Structures are given as structure tokens and as C-alpha cells.
Amino acid sequence: QVQLVESGGGSVQPGGSLRLSCAASGFKLWQYTMGWFRQAPGKERDGAAFLDTDGSSTYAGSLKDRFTISKDNVKNILYLQMNSLKPEDTAIYYCAADPQYGARRSRDFDYWGQGTQVTVSS
């Protein structure tokens, strides 16, 4: 069955970097729209970055300047490189997958990982 397992979260100082990984099994990454969502305490889960089956990527707001979504089709792993981290990036980060091209809303995604905590603090 489809399974997504995130890793790479942790605590980092402002200005630091982290790379999140999402190991996928039960399907091939290149066949699905993949997304990274994040949920800060007391807030809704919001989309951060998306990667469609044609290789195109989209980002929420100004995250494109600091975040990069990518994948390794051989290893079947999705990544999120996060640079110049800010305290407002603190959240649980979730990996999600959906077979529909262009899926963007959280309710559109059928498959989710368990999440990984990212804390940005001095």
C-alpha cells in the first residue's frame, strides 16, 4: 500500500538550513503530484511546495526564494531543501501525494506522511 515517511526535521537557528526527505513506497513518485504542507501551532495546514508529474514546481508565496522541492525517481524520495530559515517557518511538515495532476488543496491529497517537526529558534 501507499506509504510516506518523512525525516530530516529538527531544531535550527534562524538563518540555518534543513533538508526534509519523504520516502515513498507503494507507488512511483513520478506518477503522482507531490506536495509539502506545513502546520504551525494553532493554524491550519497550508501548502508550501508542490511538484507535478511533468516536473513543474510551485511554491506558496515567497517560499520560492528559500525552499526547493525536488525528487529522486530512482530512490523514490521527495525532498524539501529549506534555506535561510525563519522562526515563522516553525511547524510540522507533511509530505503528501495524489494521483491528480495539479492537486493543491490539502483535502485533494489522498496520501499523507506522519509529519516531521521543524523548529527555528535562537
Side-chain angles (χ1 to χ4, degrees), residues 53-115:
T53 54
D54 60 0
S56 60
S57 58
T58 57
Y59 299 86
S62 62
L63 292 181
K64 182 179 181 179
D65 297 334
R66 302 186 291 118
F67 289 12
T68 303
I69 187 171
S70 63
K71 62 184 177 180
D72 184 324
N73 286 333
V74 174
K75 295 181 179 179
N76 221 36
I77 298 176
L78 180 74
Y79 300 102
L80 183 67
Q81 177 68 43
M82 305 185 294
N83 300 326
S84 301
L85 284 163
K86 304 175 180 180
E88 51 263 42
D89 295 318
T90 295
I92 300 173
Y93 284 71
Y94 298 91
C95 168
D98 194 82
Q100 182 177 357
Y101 178 88
R104 291 295 182 264
R105 299 172 299 183
S106 60
R107 62 176 181 265
D108 292 336
F109 282 77
D110 287 343
Y111 305 104
W112 292 84
Q114 82 288 351

Side-chain angles (χ1 to χ4, degrees), residues 16-38:
S17 298
L18 283 174
R19 188 177 77 160
L20 306 183
S21 299
C22 172
S25 58
F27 72 103
K28 297 297 184 183
L29 280 183
W30 59 267
Q31 296 177 318
Y32 279 59
T33 292
M34 301 300 299
W36 284 101
F37 289 80
R38 62 185 187 175

